[in-house]
Amino acid sequence: MELFLFDISPESPRESFLPLSTNHRSGSVNVTWEPDVTFFIQGLASLGEKKMILFVILLLGYIIILGGNSMIIFVALTDSKLSSPMYFFLSNLSFVDIVYTTTTIPNMLSGLLTYVKTISVPGCFLQMYFFIQLAVTGRAILTVMAYDRYVAICNPLRYTAIMTRPVRLILIAGAWSFGAFCTLPPAAMGWQQSYCSPYVVRHSWCDPSSVRRLACGDTSVDSIVSLSFAMVSLLTTGVLILTSYALIGVSMSRMGVAQRLKAVGTCAAHLIVVSISYGSASFVYISYRVGNFSPEVRIIVAVLYSALTPFLNPMIYSLRSKELRDSIRRTLSGFRPAAVSPRKDVSTVS
């Protein structure tokens, strides 16, 4: 039987959330050979009654994320007018956004309703893997979309011949493979580590850096490997996106005013999404290094960062794309009940 000491008073130290177990050793445990070991998710315990406010905000945001991105996937699959490669890639990005937020937000919502949130070790590492892998895959799909915009603007006459369905599938498969390539080595190294009790993850989900702090041994190699693959994922996608837009800019400089405005309209939505994604990531990274924030503030910032792009994507693309707006409008109107036919005037009935 396990006992827990959990003090949620504001003045209590963060270390007050420590699981006291009568059957867990305080020494190191290799999670590969101890499947019964459980990690405890600290979450936002110190917020007290404010947790319910955050719960409502997160729940509404999550519902909007699911509804908006699901609608984009539905109309892209069912509306023949949205058969262009851009909407194919956009529907894949929406799918990634749904699964990406689902790996963390539901767990965080349940954690806001309970005093103690636990997760099995395999579940923790699966959550960690998919959280990172989907984040990298999302950026890889943004890179593919940048290439799609480059071909559409710089080589419009051969656009349909280049962006065939097999090519689209290869590009999406490459994005998912790139995400797995950047995620598997750090996750596998973390799985082989030995961890010391108390197994308290000081985050609202199995964040890699938070889990790494529980390791008993030296994690410098793990940190270097994780940082290396993170840099590979960010720099590779960032450089390719910048290259695509640099070539687009060179091509636009040779166009007339009308063609230039049309090209800007073609790229605007994607460029806004990329700017928000990389801008928010840079802000979070710099604020973590410069600002002296409490762990609770860092968790909230991390949640907002991870949910920001999936939350805004449907709105940005719907506002910038008339085809998508019209398709969503037609789809929603099709769900409305048929209008009731007017009643006959009883006075005319003999």
Side-chain angles (χ1 to χ4, degrees):
M1 180 177 179
E2 294 180 344
L3 304 174
F4 300 93
L5 174 61
F6 183 61
D7 185 357
I8 60 172
S9 59
E11 63 274 6
S12 62
R14 297 193 304 270
E15 286 73 12
S16 60
F17 181 75
L18 296 176
L20 302 181
S21 172
T22 58
N23 55 13
H24 279 178
R25 302 190 306 271
S26 60
S28 65
V29 173
N30 190 306
V31 297
T32 306
W33 306 107
E34 295 288 343
D36 294 333
V37 173
T38 301
F39 284 160
F40 301 86
I41 308 298
Q42 180 174 354
L44 297 168
S46 63
L47 290 183
E49 296 179 355
K50 296 178 182 178
K51 290 195 298 183
M52 291 308 301
I53 300 175
L54 184 60
F55 174 84
V56 173
I57 295 173
L58 275 179
L59 180 61
L60 291 176
Y62 184 56
I63 292 173
I64 293 173
I65 289 172
L66 292 181
N69 287 285
S70 297
M71 177 60 71
I72 288 179
I73 295 173
F74 180 77
V75 297
L77 292 176
T78 58
D79 194 337
S80 58
K81 294 182 179 180
L82 301 181
S83 59
S84 67
M86 181 182 73
Y87 295 109
F88 172 78
F89 296 134
L90 180 58
S91 63
N92 278 272
L93 180 63
S94 294
F95 173 76
V96 170
D97 286 342
I98 290 175
V99 184
Y100 174 62
T101 52
T102 301
T103 59
T104 56
I105 293 183
N107 273 328
M108 188 171 184
L109 290 173
S110 64
L112 290 171
L113 297 178
T114 58
Y115 285 112
V116 177
K117 174 69 177 176
T118 61
I119 187 171
S120 65
V121 172
C124 181
F125 277 89
L126 280 175
Q127 184 187 62
M128 185 194 308
Y129 171 80
F130 282 110
F131 179 75
I132 303 173
Q133 199 259 353
L134 290 165
V136 178
T137 301
R139 283 191 166 79
I141 293 178
L142 287 175
T143 306
V144 170
M145 295 174 74
Y147 172 71
D148 173 69
R149 296 299 83 201
Y150 158 73
V151 176
I153 293 173
C154 298
N155 205 348
L157 298 179
R158 300 192 60 234
Y159 178 69
T160 54
I162 294 174
M163 300 302 293
T164 60
R165 182 168 180 80
V167 170
R168 284 181 269 170
L169 293 175
I170 290 173
L171 290 172
I172 289 297
W176 282 90
S177 300
F178 181 72
F181 167 77
C182 293
T183 309
L184 273 175
M189 292 183 67
W191 177 255
Q192 296 299 322
Q193 280 284 356
S194 296
Y195 295 89
C196 294
S197 64
Y199 310 104
V200 182
V201 179
R202 302 191 185 281
H203 210 283
S204 282
W205 62 79
C206 287
D207 175 70
S209 60
S210 301
V211 173
R212 196 176 299 124
R213 292 191 183 98
L214 305 180
C216 303
D218 183 20
T219 60
S220 58
V221 176
D222 298 57
S223 299
I224 292 173
V225 171
S226 296
L227 180 61
S228 299
F229 279 99
M231 295 302 293
V232 167
S233 65
L234 288 173
L235 291 178
T236 302
T237 55
V239 168
L240 289 175
I241 290 174
L242 286 175
T243 302
S244 297
Y245 276 105
L247 295 174
I248 289 173
V250 172
S251 180
M252 287 174 58
S253 65
R254 303 168 184 160
M255 298 178 180
V257 176
Q259 288 179 312
R260 196 175 300 169
L261 291 175
K262 184 178 179 181
V264 169
T266 302
C267 299
H270 178 262
L271 192 57
I272 293 172
V273 170
V274 169
S275 300
I276 292 174
S277 177
Y278 282 86
S280 58
S282 301
F283 171 77
V284 171
Y285 179 82
I286 294 172
S287 64
Y288 272 30
R289 296 298 181 272
V290 177
N292 186 20
F293 300 113
S294 65
E296 290 77 16
V297 173
R298 290 174 180 265
I299 292 173
I300 294 174
V301 170
V303 173
L304 293 177
Y305 158 68
S306 63
L308 181 63
T309 305
F311 181 84
L312 294 177
N313 273 354
M315 302 180 189
I316 294 171
Y317 279 101
S318 297
L319 290 174
R320 298 298 309 179
S321 173
K322 185 177 183 300
E323 290 179 337
L324 185 58
R325 284 200 310 272
D326 292 342
S327 179
I328 293 175
R329 192 178 295 114
R330 287 194 300 270
T331 301
L332 293 177
S333 63
F335 289 138
R336 295 174 185 170
V340 180
S341 58
R343 297 178 180 178
K344 292 182 179 180
D345 190 351
V346 293
S347 60
T348 60
V349 180
S350 57

